[in-house]
Amino acid sequence: MSLKQEIENKLNSLTKPIGSLGMLEQIALQIGLIQQTATPQLPNKKAVFVFSADHGIVEEGVSAYPMEVTAEMVKNFLNNGAAINVFANHNQAEVFVVDAGVASELPKHEKLLDKKVGFGTKNFLKECAMSKEDVKKSLRYGQELANFAKESNVEMVAVGDMGIGNTTTAAAIASALGIELDSLIDIGTVIPQKQVEHKKTIVEKALQKHSPFLSPEDVLEKVGGYCFAQMAGFILGCAKHNIPVVIDGFPSSVGALAAYSLDNSIKKYLFAGHLSAVKGHRAVLNKLGLKPILNLEMRLGEGTGAVLSFSIIEAAIKMINQMATFESAGVSKGDEKQ
Amino acid sequence: MSLKQEIENKLNSLTKPIGSLGMLEQIALQIGLIQQTATPQLPNKKAVFVFSADHGIVEEGVSAYPMEVTAEMVKNFLNNGAAINVFANHNQAEVFVVDAGVASELPKHEKLLDKKVGFGTKNFLKECAMSKEDVKKSLRYGQELANFAKESNVEMVAVGDMGIGNTTTAAAIASALGIELDSLIDIGTVIPQKQVEHKKTIVEKALQKHSPFLSPEDVLEKVGGYCFAQMAGFILGCAKHNIPVVIDGFPSSVGALAAYSLDNSIKKYLFAGHLSAVKGHRAVLNKLGLKPILNLEMRLGEGTGAVLSFSIIEAAIKMINQMATFESAGVSKGDEKQ
């Protein structure tokens, strides 16, 4: 019998109608397959990695916030004041902030992982966002962060992203990776509706300038961001270390799409923590073939939706281990079992 | 300034784009309005009440499971073997099982609250499900359970339902309370598709036999169930005691609909823990004007979806209290604030 069949048989033996726990059964199955057991264990240690970087495209007026907010929010993360701190603490996950390329010097801090590749990318409407070397370096840094997670005994990670302009960059990357642009552009965190057309025009022009795109690395070089390349490397590394990866909103999921484009086999490690209210997110999750666990109309990023879903994933793991079976509980089976 | 405005101002001062935490902001607002403060506190004690009862209509062959499963599942609850036990434990909620009218004698147990009105209702295809006296008694028992919750210092409750045939009874009640029958009938927990037509015919005939329905009490007498009347009384009582009530799936939500039909003012206390995969649930939540917190394609009942949502509700309460403001964190505001 395959392990998949063994896990499904176990789920069907529990005191509930077959399949009646819906996505929780699918989550338990996926975790079981990752851990290669029908009795998967809870992660002993959980963490969220918040990839922070600046985006040169911001000078085209695509965001409601000035670029300095990226560095200000990093400090907010380090001072435990942001939403991600509250939710990570709520679900007992550690917060690591990655400086993938913030446009200013940041103070040293034990929770701040210095992986700075540059002080923000270049404006990809005018030139390539970064060099080929920077793409390689970013992917390698991401892998190093996955090694760090493994060495720190982290057994489940959330991947968050923060940086002014990140939804514009995410839209450009996702479109260059084959998703229809119309399904990708909206207000981001929050810009007035009239600004949306401007944002779309900027991305369209940039895509025209840089096409054709020859590979995922080529996409990252031309219209990418340091945080996106690092998220991709990080996810590839976590998959190698057998660590489940819970992705968050639109930018985080585009990081996963870049990783998936580099290596389809990572998909078994991916969980979609939530569906955000940012328009492009649904299209990216569809492309990845992932069903979101939560749908709370959030559009904040930082890893907030991913970390909130930890509670559901852990409930699923407890379910498959702790529920009584029809046999052990002496409960009669229904017609469906006959 | 109204309290609502005060809470909204507070939410808008936190370091996130306005409204970007979606439903979590709405949850924090609702909890704040219940507690009458912009700094709502976490519930010190949480509990789920699982209303258990048998339904005479089961003799018409509307369920995949035999009636004795109701009592068997009660024992499973008391032995901590059911899904609701695992999820309640996961979110630190106590499980109380209510014998509202199970069709057999049940053993005494500290977690089993004896509110038995009868040994299952009568078959409402042939006669009234219960007497007028039994409706009154059930509503009163529900209120007594709310008093018990208050005396036990329970500060947030989930309302679960379990009993073979409960979705058939729920459909009859909801239809008699004004919801289109076509939107209410499907496979329940799990019957073959061909049995669905039979189930619908049974409910249609019963509704024809008993109409017109003169009041919510009249509905409960003619096509109700002990658990439904007790859930209604319980929810009315919790509202009186200012206790937030998290409803679960289709039967639980029909209990809330009965309460709402008796007193519209209870709505401010209601949270929809999840949207279940049972077809009628969406129609009932729409009628109540509630947006579900989770949507995990579950169709088990017992309070499982409600209890899983506790984690999200608590995250929302922590969010409004623990996040830094733009001012305290020194984060620049965006255009949206100008």
Side-chain angles (χ1 to χ4, degrees), chain A residues 65 72 81 90 311 324 332 336, chain B residues 20 65 72 81 90 311 324 332 336:
Chain A
Y65 286 85
E72 289 166 354
H90 178 58
S311 168
S332 306
E336 58 170 323
Chain B
S20 62
Y65 286 85
E72 290 166 354
H90 178 58
S311 168
S332 308
E336 59 169 321

Side-chain angles (χ1 to χ4, degrees), chain B residues 161-162 166-167 170 227-228 231 248-256 278 281 301:
Chain B
D161 186 277
M162 191 281 302
N166 60 0
T167 64
C227 52
F228 290 92
M231 286 191 284
D248 186 43
F250 181 44
S252 162
S253 301
V254 169
V278 174
H281 195 204

Side-chain angles (χ1 to χ4, degrees), chain A residues 195-208:
Chain A
Q195 216 177 329
V196 173
E197 275 310 305
H198 171 66
K199 182 172 168 180
K200 191 175 163 198
T201 305
I202 296 292
V203 174
E204 270 172 345
K205 279 188 187 166
L207 291 168
Q208 272 165 17

Side-chain angles (χ1 to χ4, degrees), chain A residues 15-24 26-27 63-66 68-69 72-73 75-76 79-83 86-87 89-91 189-190 192 195 291-300 302 304 308-312 314-316 318-319 322-326 329-337, chain B residues 15-24 26-27 63-66 68-69 72-73 75-76 79-83 86-87 89-91 189-190 192 195 291-300 302 304 308-312 314-316 318-319 322-326 329-337:
Chain A
T15 45
K16 58 175 184 53
I18 288 180
S20 62
L21 284 176
M23 285 186 65
L24 272 80
Q26 294 162 32
I27 291 168
S63 176
Y65 286 85
E68 56 262 31
V69 168
E72 289 166 354
M73 282 302 296
K75 287 167 202 159
N76 197 20
N79 290 330
N80 283 307
V86 175
F87 298 155
N89 189 46
H90 178 58
N91 281 336
T189 46
V190 58
Q195 216 177 329
K291 213 157 29 168
I293 297 172
L294 301 175
N295 182 357
L296 296 163
E297 300 169 9
M298 289 162 58
R299 50 185 173 84
L300 179 57
E302 304 177 359
T304 48
L308 284 173
S309 78
F310 279 178
S311 168
I312 305 297
E314 295 189 299
K318 289 181 180 175
M319 174 270 290
Q322 297 176 10
M323 275 184 73
T325 62
F326 281 96
V331 174
S332 306
K333 289 180 182 178
D335 289 343
E336 58 170 323
K337 314 277 296 185
Chain B
T15 45
K16 59 174 184 53
I18 289 180
S20 62
L21 285 176
M23 284 186 66
L24 272 81
Q26 295 161 31
I27 291 168
S63 176
Y65 286 85
E68 56 263 32
V69 169
E72 290 166 354
M73 281 303 296
K75 287 166 200 158
N76 197 19
N79 290 329
N80 283 307
V86 176
F87 298 155
N89 190 45
H90 178 58
N91 282 336
T189 45
V190 58
Q195 216 177 328
K291 211 157 28 168
I293 296 172
L294 301 175
N295 181 357
L296 296 163
E297 299 169 9
M298 290 162 57
R299 51 184 172 83
L300 179 57
E302 304 177 359
T304 48
L308 283 173
S309 77
F310 279 178
S311 168
I312 304 296
E314 294 188 299
K318 289 181 180 175
M319 175 269 291
Q322 296 176 11
M323 274 183 75
T325 61
F326 281 96
V331 173
S332 308
K333 289 181 181 177
D335 289 343
E336 59 169 321
K337 311 279 290 188

Side-chain angles (χ1 to χ4, degrees), chain A residues 99-157:
Chain A
D99 177 3
V102 177
S104 58
E105 291 288 357
L106 295 172
K108 292 232 174 298
H109 191 289
E110 55 167 351
K111 298 291 184 192
L112 179 63
L113 306 175
D114 181 4
K115 296 289 177 184
K116 196 192 280 286
V117 180
F119 287 78
T121 48
K122 302 215 169 67
N123 179 347
F124 63 65
L125 184 63
K126 299 187 174 154
E127 57 193 313
C128 286
M130 66 183 96
S131 67
K132 283 185 178 33
E133 276 314 301
D134 283 351
V135 174
K136 278 186 200 155
K137 192 191 273 189
S138 299
L139 287 166
R140 192 177 72 240
Y141 279 179
Q143 301 255 9
E144 287 172 12
L145 290 165
N147 298 343
F148 167 77
K150 178 69 180 172
E151 286 154 18
S152 307
N153 300 310
V154 172
E155 296 179 341
M156 186 156 71
V157 298

